[in-house]
Amino acid sequence: MGDIHGCHDLLLRELERVRFDHQYDRLFCVGDLIDRGPNSLQCLRLPFEPWFHSVRGNHELLAHDALELGRWGMWLLNGGVWVRDEDPQQVRERLREALTRMPYAFEIEVEGARVGIVHAEPPSDWSRIVPGDDALEHHLVWSRRRIERRDTSRVEGIDAVVVGHTILREPVWLGNVHYIDTGAFTTGRLTLIRLVDVVRMVGE
């Protein structure tokens, strides 16, 4: 699923549309659960659901920097104003715990293929993703170099990668990287795809 950005009701409608089974199905998200949409606090509860798995996005990190380090300017300018209607301490504690469940990257095995998920952009080689590399982590949640250059080279060491971050009219493939953020908070379109279809498309 693409960037949710506080659109909790839209998320529920999409899950109902595809008859998502909370007992057996799993939902993987590219991050940016919060900001800009109407229900950020509800979306911040999602990482605690057993069926929901998400990487962290730049908006989670903007919120962290505001709530933990006092760097409020960038977050408030980029959709964090919803916190003014909530208890900041409650939001801080929930975000802190949520981030322990939201890595910078993860991968899922689907039909014998490996699909990686990051928020913004993977490195050229998936094996370069190691914990504690600050420059790489910044790249994973902020970079738009690949899509700005329309770079169709493949990411090595992984079969496919799904990302969000950059709003597009329709999902786009660049090499083996699939961009799926369709701007839910402004378009009302929250892209939901099956990972088995990702594997089959990249194999064509």
Side-chain angles (χ1 to χ4, degrees), residues 85-150:
D85 297 323
E86 308 292 345
D87 177 355
Q89 182 60 28
Q90 179 190 14
V91 176
R92 180 184 298 111
E93 291 172 2
R94 184 171 297 171
L95 176 68
R96 188 181 294 166
E97 180 62 24
L99 286 175
T100 68
R101 302 161 185 254
M102 299 172 68
Y104 282 92
F106 57 71
E107 63 180 71
I108 308 103
E109 184 175 336
V110 183
E111 293 192 341
R114 294 163 55 224
V115 179
I117 298 180
V118 300
H119 177 60
E121 184 173 288
S124 58
D125 190 324
W126 188 256
S127 66
R128 286 185 52 212
I129 298 179
V130 293
D133 184 329
D134 292 344
L136 176 63
E137 289 172 351
H138 186 271
H139 179 89
L140 295 176
V141 298
W142 284 102
S143 182
R144 288 193 170 97
R145 284 184 298 184
R146 170 180 284 266
I147 196 161
E148 287 173 350
R149 299 172 181 175
R150 290 297 191 265

Side-chain angles (χ1 to χ4, degrees), residues 18-136:
V18 299
R19 298 181 180 178
F20 186 87
D21 187 325
H22 292 77
Q23 183 174 354
Y24 295 105
D25 295 331
R26 296 294 176 263
L27 182 65
F28 301 97
C29 183
V30 297
D32 277 3
L33 308 185
I34 60 172
D35 299 345
R36 295 179 172 160
N39 299 115
S40 285
L41 192 61
Q42 282 182 285
C43 289
L44 204 50
R45 295 190 182 104
L46 291 169
F48 303 96
E49 298 289 348
W51 48 268
F52 185 88
H53 306 275
S54 181
V55 294
R56 61 183 64 185
N58 59 303
H59 281 261
E60 282 78 43
L61 296 187
L62 288 172
H64 169 272
D65 288 352
L67 294 163
E68 301 285 1
L69 305 176
R71 300 172 184 168
W72 289 93
M74 282 292 291
W75 189 33
L76 295 177
L77 284 172
N78 285 278
V81 292
W82 62 271
V83 75
R84 293 172 173 167
D85 297 323
E86 308 292 345
D87 177 355
Q89 182 60 28
Q90 179 190 14
V91 176
R92 180 184 298 111
E93 291 172 2
R94 184 171 297 171
L95 176 68
R96 188 181 294 166
E97 180 62 24
L99 286 175
T100 68
R101 302 161 185 254
M102 299 172 68
Y104 282 92
F106 57 71
E107 63 180 71
I108 308 103
E109 184 175 336
V110 183
E111 293 192 341
R114 294 163 55 224
V115 179
I117 298 180
V118 300
H119 177 60
E121 184 173 288
S124 58
D125 190 324
W126 188 256
S127 66
R128 286 185 52 212
I129 298 179
V130 293
D133 184 329
D134 292 344
L136 176 63

